[in-house]
Amino acid sequence: MRDVSEIIGKLDQNAENNEHNEENKPEISGTVENIIYQNEENGYTVCEIATDDDELVTAVGEMPFLGAGEMIRAMGEWVVHSSYGRQFKVEYYEKQLPVNENAILKYLSSRTLKGIGPSLALKIVGQYGIDTFDVIENHPEWLAEIPGITLKKAKAVSEEFKSQFGLRNLVMFGREFFGPATAVKIYKKWGSGSIDIIKRNPYNLCDEIYGIGFEKADMIAKSLGIDNYTEERARSGLKYVLLYNGIQNGHMFIPRNKLIPAASSMLSIDEDVVENALNELLLNNQLVQKTYGNRPCIYLKEYYDAEKYISDKLQLLDNLCPKIDVGDISRMILRIESDFGVDYAAMQKKAIINSVNSGVMVLTGGPGTGKTTVIRAVIRVFEDLGYKIALAAPTGRAAKRMSESTMHEAKTIHRLLEMDYSNESKPVFRRNENSRLDENVIIVDEASMMDTMLFSALLQAVKPGSKLILIGDVDQLPSVGAGNVLCDIIRSDRFNTVELKEIFRQDEESLIVTNAHAINEGEYPTLTSKSSDFFFLPREDDDMIARTVAELCAVRLPKSYGKEIVGDIQVITPSRKGSAGTVVLNSLLQKVMNPPSPNKKEKRVRDVVFREGDKVMQVKNNYDIEWVSEDKEGVGIFNGDIGIISEIDNRNERMRIVFDDNRYVDYDYSYLDELEHAYAITVHKSQGSEYPVVIIPMYSFTPRLMTRNLLYTAVTRAQRMVIMVGKANVVQQMVDTNKPTQRYTGLEQLLSVFE
């Protein structure tokens, strides 16, 4: 197992090394004259401040609950905005209560306190003068003496006042570790007791506040002088190891004999302390222990619950499946063959019959084996039988491709389940056990991409008696998220599974198809053909490989096939690192595909420049960002979604991106750290997608990624053309390395319990 301590960093540094050196930070103080813009969710604010030096300064940054009339002291840095000139970028700030009647009146008149406007502000200040804030905070009932203010309203105003200034203290307390937007989350959860709760047990943060991990909580604990050997730290650390291995390595559990030493090493504490913490977590039902093959295995509770639910629900669906006479289905197939002008092969007919007569059915096979042909027939059969059908796929690209190939609407699983988000930005689904899907046939394509948690959510929305058909290529890479759902279901041998192996006539001439199958069978692909759809350009120098890829994209392919091919090209590389990894290639490809221009606006983020016309990818799930298309609107942009920057608006700090499925999103600049260039993407990021032209650099990269299924996945992303550039021995090494990704999952074992 990977050593978790590698990614945690040096958490035992002195707290003083993490603190801001306030003496060297520029600082401004003054009164907020005007709020130009404010995002209520994350507190991002643009305002004008009249400083103590009588200068009007534009300040930007996360400053939640800030209102006109307030006096603040802010620290940060001076920056020059390309459109607005000199601004003060706030890193942290503190509010200072107005000290005279005019300032108090201006503050209250700004409606910063809900329920108080200019008219009531005038009455309150007129009656209580400079004691106004003391009255609001400590004697709210006195406010009820003023006409227009009820006792209930007075108490609400007082609570709002306390909330704003309690939050101020929390922002200042945690400014070294989290920003104001996170402080808002914490304060909403724990209120005025937030600081005391954190001081007593900082590890509550990673247990209860969405978005704060163990590493951050551990840093806070160390800054507070909390001992490494606390029980709270050991318990939190154990859960972190399990969660990290789920997110990074796809494991649903970790064997107990591996978990304890791993946690001990990461936390730098004795194994017996970890053992005691583990037993307590098991006793409290926060972790679950299951024994597989005489080996005790430890789950996060939500991971075990998901696998157990999947196992139980799949068995229920299969048991409740109504049977239809096979002769009737065969007659329907004959009619469909006549209507469609096709002649189904024996295994395709078997797949159609099994789909109709199974509660749960799996269809798997490589490219060119006719999976789409089967799906079309299955849809027709169910339509003739009067069933309601839902088509779905894990990604937007896969859903779009499914729609085009079947001529029926397909949705992403998230959209099918009507995904929403909680107040903490956690994904929630409106379709669930209490509001199930109306359809009674659910067909899921690219099922190998579904992780355990998403599949569990889908099954919760499927009503008993429905049919579930899973379609995918089991030889591709497993899901990015934890689990190995499709493989586990097939290996359990509990449900009807049809594997299509025959390559049909129309695909026999495609070298993409035949090479993909050769790779999957452990045979070297043909690299010498010059007249098909699969080309190999030998290059022995890694830098030359990268330059050749750039030349193909910018010059050679457009010259040979026309400029319109540029939008069809996707470079897919095995790794982020190295001379032809995504980092190097994206920089190089941006220079040749979308060079700087006076007509194109830019925005620098970290060490990357985003430019109008750039191809970009969302690299983490964002469940609350809004999108709009021609006829729909919704929320959620997901890891792997690709689009083009159509407009950069530095004035309003917005970037518009048009995604492949014609959704457009206006990104606030605070979200730009979720974007990367996508001229070149990794094989893992390409899962579930197909591209007309795929270019694959074969260079010297980490041996850990030199595997057969990674190469197979890359090749099968191409629809019309594959161009490999690089070293033949790298191709051969990947074909020779048949090392499927090992994941600790329990679904196969849970399914095998049923008899």
Side-chain angles (χ1 to χ4, degrees):
M1 187 185 73
R2 182 178 174 183
D3 184 2
V4 182
S5 61
E6 291 177 3
I7 56 91
I8 292 181
K10 298 180 180 179
L11 297 179
D12 56 352
Q13 292 178 336
N14 294 330
E16 62 190 33
N17 291 336
N18 294 319
E19 293 179 350
H20 291 280
N21 186 344
E22 297 190 5
E23 294 180 359
N24 297 326
K25 285 286 182 184
E27 176 183 324
I28 60 171
S29 297
T31 303
V32 178
E33 290 292 318
N34 181 33
I35 300 293
I36 299 171
Y37 169 79
Q38 190 163 61
N39 183 318
E40 293 186 4
E41 287 297 318
N42 60 22
Y44 183 81
T45 302
V46 180
C47 65
E48 291 179 327
I49 297 173
T51 69
D52 297 340
D53 300 325
D54 294 326
E55 180 185 4
L56 191 64
V57 171
T58 299
V60 299
E62 291 181 343
M63 296 176 279
F65 296 140
L66 195 64
E70 292 190 274
M71 299 174 64
I72 71 167
R73 169 178 171 262
M75 293 183 182
E77 61 179 341
W78 291 101
V79 296
V80 178
H81 194 282
S82 58
S83 298
Y84 305 112
R86 191 167 182 256
Q87 295 179 338
F88 192 76
K89 186 176 181 181
V90 177
E91 294 184 7
Y92 51 94
Y93 78 106
E94 60 182 4
K95 293 183 181 181
Q96 298 172 316
L97 286 174
V99 294
N100 59 59
E101 289 188 16
N102 285 336
I104 294 172
L105 177 61
K106 185 173 183 179
Y107 169 74
L108 291 180
S109 298
S110 69
R111 301 185 187 276
T112 299
L113 290 181
K114 293 178 182 177
I116 302 295
S119 142
L120 282 179
L122 188 61
K123 293 178 183 178
I124 295 170
V125 177
Q127 183 155 336
Y128 297 113
I130 61 173
D131 295 325
T132 293
F133 289 140
D134 180 60
V135 171
I136 292 174
E137 182 173 10
N138 300 309
H139 307 286
E141 67 278 5
W142 295 1
L143 293 177
E145 298 173 3
I146 296 174
I149 301 181
T150 64
L151 182 59
K152 181 179 180 181
K153 184 173 183 177
K155 290 180 178 178
V157 169
S158 180
E159 287 302 313
E160 176 78 5
F161 181 84
K162 291 176 182 176
S163 171
Q164 290 190 20
F165 286 92
L167 175 63
R168 176 195 63 182
N169 295 332
L170 178 59
V171 168
M172 294 304 296
F173 169 80
R175 66 177 186 254
E176 307 300 334
F177 307 104
F178 47 77
T182 301
V184 171
K185 283 186 190 178
I186 297 170
Y187 198 85
K188 285 180 178 178
K189 180 80 173 179
W190 294 328
S192 58
S194 296
I195 294 175
D196 288 338
I197 290 172
I198 294 171
K199 284 182 175 179
R200 284 198 302 270
N201 179 12
Y203 299 101
N204 283 324
L205 288 166
C206 53
D207 289 342
E208 299 190 39
I209 304 299
Y210 185 74
I212 295 186
F214 172 81
E215 300 163 84
K216 189 72 69 178
D218 209 32
M219 290 172 66
I220 295 170
K222 284 175 170 53
S223 75
L224 294 171
I226 294 175
D227 187 84
N228 274 0
Y229 274 76
T230 62
E231 293 180 3
E232 292 86 359
R233 181 171 185 267
R235 290 195 297 267
S236 243
L238 272 166
K239 288 186 284 186
Y240 171 71
V241 173
L242 288 163
L243 181 63
Y244 170 80
N245 275 276
I247 293 172
Q248 295 295 327
N249 300 324
H251 299 315
M252 292 300 298
F253 62 77
I254 299 178
R256 183 171 180 136
N257 65 344
K258 291 181 178 289
L259 174 62
I260 291 174
S264 170
S265 173
M266 184 199 78
L267 297 170
S268 299
I269 59 178
D270 297 338
E271 289 191 10
D272 59 343
V273 177
V274 176
E275 183 101 35
N276 291 336
L278 175 56
N279 290 333
E280 186 174 347
L281 288 168
L282 292 170
L283 187 64
N284 294 333
N285 203 31
Q286 294 184 53
L287 301 182
V288 174
Q289 179 170 297
K290 296 293 294 182
T291 300
Y292 299 130
N294 298 319
R295 181 168 63 174
C297 302
I298 308 298
Y299 284 90
L300 290 169
K301 186 177 187 303
E302 57 267 35
Y303 277 18
Y304 174 74
D305 288 346
E307 281 200 329
K308 186 66 168 64
Y309 183 88
I310 290 170
S311 174
D312 293 346
K313 186 64 174 281
L314 289 177
Q315 192 68 20
L316 175 67
L317 291 175
D318 213 44
N319 289 340
L320 293 178
C321 172
K323 301 295 181 181
I324 298 173
D325 185 85
V326 173
D328 292 340
I329 303 173
S330 297
R331 285 187 288 273
M332 295 176 76
I333 292 173
L334 286 172
R335 188 166 64 250
I336 294 169
E337 285 181 320
S338 176
D339 291 346
F340 287 178
V342 297
D343 185 15
Y344 297 119
M347 291 303 290
Q348 289 181 314
K349 290 179 180 178
K350 180 180 178 181
I352 298 167
I353 293 170
N354 282 358
S355 295
V356 177
N357 264 336
S358 304
V360 177
M361 186 266 185
V362 177
L363 175 64
T364 185
T369 56
K371 296 192 297 295
T372 300
T373 302
V374 171
I375 297 173
R376 291 195 196 104
V378 168
I379 291 171
R380 173 67 179 273
V381 170
F382 281 123
E383 285 178 337
D384 290 348
L385 291 171
Y387 283 81
K388 296 181 67 175
I389 307 164
L391 306 183
T395 67
R397 275 182 172 270
K400 182 180 180 182
R401 192 176 72 250
M402 192 181 190
S403 296
E404 292 169 348
S405 64
T406 63
M407 305 300 291
H408 288 70
E409 182 186 16
K411 301 177 180 179
T412 63
I413 296 173
H414 292 85
R415 186 172 156 220
L416 179 69
L417 299 181
E418 298 177 19
M419 188 209 70
D420 204 341
Y421 55 95
S422 69
N423 291 333
E424 294 187 336
S425 297
K426 289 183 179 180
V428 294
F429 298 104
R430 293 175 184 169
R431 292 293 187 171
N432 49 44
E433 287 183 300
N434 299 317
S435 178
R436 290 196 161 110
L437 295 168
D438 298 325
E439 295 85 357
N440 44 17
V441 175
I442 314 298
I443 304 176
V444 181
D445 198 11
E446 295 288 354
S448 64
M449 291 187 65
M450 274 194 306
D451 62 51
T452 299
M453 303 308 289
L454 182 59
F455 190 43
S456 174
L458 174 63
L459 288 179
Q460 289 175 47
V462 176
K463 58 189 176 185
S466 299
K467 296 177 182 293
L468 177 68
I469 301 168
L470 303 176
I471 302 160
D473 187 343
V474 76
D475 294 311
Q476 292 181 19
L477 293 171
S479 60
V480 174
N484 203 1
V485 170
L486 187 64
C487 280
D488 280 352
I489 291 173
I490 293 173
R491 286 196 296 247
S492 74
D493 200 26
R494 298 297 305 167
F495 308 102
N496 282 327
T497 299
V498 175
E499 181 180 5
L500 301 178
K501 295 183 178 180
E502 179 183 353
I503 302 175
F504 289 93
R505 189 178 300 111
Q506 63 268 28
D507 290 308
E508 287 179 346
E509 296 179 2
S510 169
L511 201 54
I512 295 174
V513 172
T514 55
N515 271 346
H517 284 273
I519 291 167
N520 200 34
E521 296 296 325
E523 300 171 4
Y524 298 147
T526 299
L527 302 180
T528 55
S529 173
K530 302 295 183 184
S531 59
S532 186
D533 54 5
F534 193 110
F535 303 94
F536 179 75
L537 303 181
R539 300 288 188 277
E540 291 302 319
D541 179 76
D542 283 352
D543 291 334
M544 179 57 73
I545 292 171
R547 290 197 295 272
T548 302
V549 169
E551 184 185 3
L552 283 166
C553 293
V555 180
R556 293 173 61 175
L557 289 175
K559 183 177 180 180
S560 298
Y561 298 95
K563 292 182 179 179
E564 60 273 11
I565 199 173
V566 170
D568 293 339
I569 300 170
Q570 183 59 61
V571 178
I572 300 178
T573 185
S575 175
R576 290 180 56 85
K577 300 177 181 179
S579 300
T582 58
V583 175
V584 170
L585 281 177
N586 273 317
S587 177
L588 182 58
L589 288 167
Q590 184 192 35
K591 290 176 184 176
V592 298
M593 304 288 287
N594 191 32
S597 166
N599 300 320
K600 294 181 179 180
K601 295 178 183 175
E602 298 181 350
K603 170 63 180 174
R604 177 174 289 276
V605 181
R606 306 175 303 275
D607 56 346
V608 173
V609 173
F610 290 115
R611 184 175 299 129
E612 289 176 341
D614 273 346
K615 187 177 185 180
V616 293
M617 173 184 280
Q618 176 79 13
V619 295
K620 62 183 290 189
N621 290 337
N622 186 322
Y623 297 99
D624 58 359
I625 195 167
E626 297 177 353
W627 56 262
V628 177
S629 65
E630 290 182 359
D631 56 347
K632 300 183 184 72
E633 58 183 42
V635 295
I637 299 294
F638 302 105
N639 188 355
D641 286 352
I642 291 178
I644 302 294
I645 299 174
S646 64
E647 181 184 353
I648 293 176
D649 182 358
N650 285 316
R651 178 179 180 83
N652 295 303
E653 300 198 328
R654 291 284 188 276
M655 181 184 292
R656 174 164 292 187
I657 297 173
V658 181
F659 285 90
D660 288 339
D661 47 5
N662 294 320
R663 292 177 298 164
Y664 72 82
V665 177
D666 287 332
Y667 276 72
D668 184 277
Y669 279 2
S670 61
Y671 287 133
L672 295 189
D673 61 348
E674 299 179 3
L675 293 173
E676 290 181 358
H677 285 113
Y679 297 102
I681 62 176
T682 63
V683 179
H684 285 86
K685 291 290 187 184
S686 74
Q687 286 178 262
S689 299
E690 286 186 352
Y691 310 91
V693 179
V694 169
I695 301 175
I696 309 171
M698 292 283 98
Y699 67 105
S700 301
F701 55 93
T702 174
R704 184 174 61 87
L705 294 174
M706 285 192 179
T707 62
R708 183 185 300 173
N709 65 343
L710 189 137
L711 180 62
Y712 174 76
T713 301
V715 169
T716 54
R717 299 308 89 209
Q719 295 169 318
R720 298 201 309 262
M721 185 187 304
V722 168
I723 304 175
M724 283 186 177
V725 181
K727 305 173 183 179
N729 67 313
V730 171
V731 178
Q732 294 169 358
Q733 183 176 347
M734 294 181 77
V735 172
D736 290 340
T737 309
N738 187 20
K739 189 172 62 177
T741 306
Q742 182 188 20
R743 292 192 167 186
Y744 292 126
T745 64
L747 182 57
E748 178 188 354
Q749 293 91 327
L750 291 170
L751 286 168
S752 67
V753 171
F754 291 101
E755 295 295 342

